[in-house]
Amino acid sequence: MSYFGTDGIRGKFGELPITPDFILKLGYVTGRVLIENNDNPARRPSVVIGKDTRLSGYVIEGALQAGFNAAGVDVHMLGPLPTPAIAHLTRSFHADAGIVISASHNPYYDNGIKLFSGDGKKLTDEMQNAINDKLKAIMSGVEDEDADGLLMPIIDPAQLGKNHRIDDAKGRYIEFCKGSFPYQYDLGGLTVVVDCANGAGYSVAPRVMRELGANVIAIHNKPDGININANCGSTNPESLQQAVLEHNADVGIALDGDGDRIVMVDEAGKLVDGDGILYVLATQSQDRTEGVVGTLMSNMGLELALKAADIEFTRAKVGDRYVMQDLEANGWILGGEPSGHILCLDKSRTGDAIIAGLQVLAVMQAQGKALSVLMEGFEVLPQKLVNVRLNKMQDPFEHEELVAAFDKAQATLEGRGRLLIRQSGTEPMIRVMVESDDEIECDVMANDLADHIKAVLG
């Protein structure tokens, strides 16, 4: 079995694998893998650890720190910061790995661990497999043959790792974000509402915008450990839309709990998701992009709009890891998902909500146009997404009754729409997505299929 899902290790806090005991062992075995791969024996491996604002983050942080120290690895503690900040600071500190404690857009009672390699990218499959193999051994009680029967041996107490609290981590990341904004422009004259989702970006996101000259109205920026993503943020943008209208703002920006997803709201309160952001950056920026990588979830309207602009478009599997792979394979710099994971590889090596938002604001300032005007030419096909929560994860394609229903729906949509059925990589959930040129058909078909899945799988 693998403890790793599509985006690290995630679950409800207090239940395996998100328990203090397991996480201590995760820190230890990850540290041992880093030591085994250390090609400079004169230098002790080090990691950076950051987190979002969940209350359980304190417990996980302490367990990870103890595990890494026991393995002989130094730890740099960053505190609450967005996921892309941890990726950036991993490179900045020349650390061997970066660790993010977050469950992204999930509720407060979930948490997780995501690992970056030393270059700030997602951990390689080889490294992840090595960690997973050691985890399986230690969780099954298999002893280390060179460790006198101990499951987590301390080779030499003199070689224990040390801890360092990085007090200027926020400032370092803020300057990095500001450095992605064109030097010849600022945000003077713009009123920007920023929904921080009571998450990891609650402090840095408003500061970045203010320091670039914007009039910032911050909402959902008072985390209490349990209000992260609660009726706010990129997955619940309704309060942002209302705030933009109430304050007569020029634009709104919503982050998710760990600050790697973004959706925006134009001056009229209309939502602009990841597809819309990709459209603006691909077609309206001064440096025209050669191609864009979307995913299976990207709206067909984006594909058609980019085709009209003579910009290539390809679809990757769902997940920013796969978007990154396709971007590197094609030599392109722009890609992302409708959910708001946006990769601008000329600015950052990972999905970054703040940096993506700044690039859209830069286009607005450079052209002197509102976001609604920049979106002209992009027509979204009606799309309905229904999430079917299950008691436990099951594969719907293993049931002939469901496969027959999917085939019938796809035949109905042939040539004028799409059907996508996929399993969540982090939750016991099936996602049903229907696109059609008929909005009513879209809604009815998606809900009917969702009900059918729930009836069969429970």
Side-chain angles (χ1 to χ4, degrees):
M1 68 171 286
S2 176
Y3 290 104
F4 290 87
T6 56
D7 204 21
I9 300 173
R10 190 178 295 185
K12 186 174 182 179
F13 182 75
E15 299 177 2
L16 278 173
I18 309 301
T19 64
D21 177 65
F22 178 90
I23 291 163
L24 174 69
K25 293 171 181 174
L26 172 64
Y28 179 84
V29 301
T30 303
R32 296 309 303 172
V33 169
L34 293 177
I35 288 172
E36 290 169 5
N37 285 273
N38 181 24
D39 55 6
N40 182 4
R43 172 184 168 275
R44 178 183 292 151
S46 67
V47 300
V48 300
I49 299 179
K51 60 182 181 178
D52 64 20
T53 56
R54 291 163 217 268
L55 200 57
S56 59
Y58 291 99
V59 180
I60 295 174
E61 182 181 48
L64 277 174
Q65 173 185 307
F68 277 114
N69 289 162
V73 174
D74 288 345
V75 176
H76 299 279
M77 311 295 288
L78 304 178
L81 275 177
T83 289
I86 286 92
H88 166 65
L89 292 171
T90 300
R91 298 193 308 274
S92 178
F93 279 94
H94 297 283
D96 296 271
I99 319 297
V100 180
I101 303 167
S102 177
S104 188
H105 58 284
N106 286 23
Y108 80 93
Y109 48 76
D110 289 338
N111 217 326
I113 295 98
K114 187 185 306 182
L115 298 110
F116 289 107
S117 62
D119 59 3
K121 298 180 181 180
K122 295 291 178 69
L123 208 62
T124 64
D125 290 339
E126 293 77 15
M127 184 75 77
Q128 183 171 293
N129 291 337
I131 294 169
N132 194 70
D133 288 344
K134 287 184 179 294
L135 267 177
K136 287 193 293 184
I138 203 171
M139 291 301 290
S140 63
V142 177
E143 300 171 355
D144 188 327
E145 60 182 14
D146 298 321
D148 297 325
L150 297 176
L151 294 178
M152 292 193 294
I154 306 301
I155 306 303
D156 180 356
Q159 298 301 315
L160 292 173
K162 299 178 180 179
N163 297 319
H164 309 272
R165 176 67 62 178
I166 308 302
D167 295 326
D168 64 342
K170 288 183 180 179
R172 286 170 177 254
Y173 177 61
I174 287 169
E175 290 304 314
F176 172 67
C177 290
K178 288 162 58 181
S180 74
F181 196 80
Y183 71 92
Q184 66 268 40
Y185 301 113
D186 59 33
L187 298 180
L190 283 184
T191 296
V192 182
V193 182
V194 181
D195 179 349
C196 303
N198 292 313
Y202 79 96
S203 174
V204 294
R207 283 181 59 185
V208 168
M209 306 296 168
R210 286 195 184 102
E211 291 185 19
L212 285 170
N215 173 35
V216 176
I217 299 161
I219 63 174
H220 304 301
N221 63 326
K222 297 178 180 178
D224 62 8
I226 62 175
N227 62 358
I228 184 171
N229 298 316
N231 299 312
C232 59
S234 63
T235 54
N236 297 278
E238 295 80 11
S239 60
L240 174 64
Q241 292 173 288
Q242 182 179 351
V244 167
L245 296 176
E246 286 179 353
H247 294 282
N248 196 29
D250 297 287
V251 68
I253 292 174
L255 315 181
D256 70 341
D258 72 329
D260 65 353
R261 295 189 189 193
I262 177 175
V263 299
M264 302 183 73
V265 172
D266 71 16
E267 74 285 358
K270 184 176 180 181
L271 185 67
V272 177
D273 67 2
D275 284 347
I277 292 169
L278 288 176
Y279 171 77
V280 170
L281 296 180
T283 64
Q284 307 293 322
S285 297
Q286 290 181 340
D287 298 325
R288 185 180 176 88
T289 186
E290 179 183 350
V292 174
V293 175
T295 73
L296 297 173
M297 300 296 288
S298 299
N299 191 276
M300 190 179 291
L302 175 62
E303 184 176 349
L304 296 174
L306 293 178
K307 183 177 180 180
D310 199 26
I311 296 173
E312 290 188 57
F313 178 77
T314 64
R315 294 182 185 271
K317 291 191 293 185
V318 175
D320 56 343
R321 170 195 293 253
Y322 302 110
V323 175
M324 172 69 84
Q325 289 176 357
D326 278 18
L327 285 173
E328 292 180 336
N330 286 287
W332 300 342
I333 61 172
L334 181 62
E337 304 181 89
S339 61
H341 278 130
I342 305 297
L343 288 159
C344 304
L345 296 186
D346 58 333
K347 308 296 182 184
S348 177
R349 295 302 299 173
T350 189
D352 191 315
I354 296 175
I355 286 180
L358 287 177
Q359 306 320 303
V360 176
L361 297 180
V363 176
M364 291 173 60
Q365 293 296 78
Q367 297 194 22
K369 294 178 180 178
L371 181 54
S372 62
V373 176
L374 297 176
M375 285 290 294
E376 292 176 358
F378 178 41
E379 296 293 333
V380 178
L381 281 186
Q383 183 185 85
K384 181 70 175 181
L385 175 63
V386 181
N387 294 322
V388 185
R389 187 169 291 276
L390 306 176
N391 293 324
K392 62 179 181 179
M393 181 56 80
Q394 300 178 64
D395 184 352
F397 290 96
E398 292 181 352
H399 296 261
E400 293 183 4
E401 178 182 348
L402 291 176
V403 172
F406 300 156
D407 289 344
K408 180 179 178 181
Q410 186 62 67
T412 302
L413 295 169
E414 190 67 34
R416 56 186 186 84
R418 295 191 305 136
L419 170 66
L420 181 65
I421 308 290
R422 61 177 290 266
Q423 301 176 58
S424 169
T426 58
E427 304 173 85
M429 183 180 292
I430 304 297
R431 306 191 194 280
V432 179
M433 192 274 285
V434 176
E435 282 180 359
S436 169
D437 54 6
D438 185 322
E439 187 170 1
I440 295 176
E441 176 188 51
C442 202
D443 189 274
V444 170
M445 182 179 290
N447 282 294
D448 284 351
L449 288 172
D451 290 343
H452 199 165
I453 291 171
K454 185 67 174 176
V456 174
L457 301 185

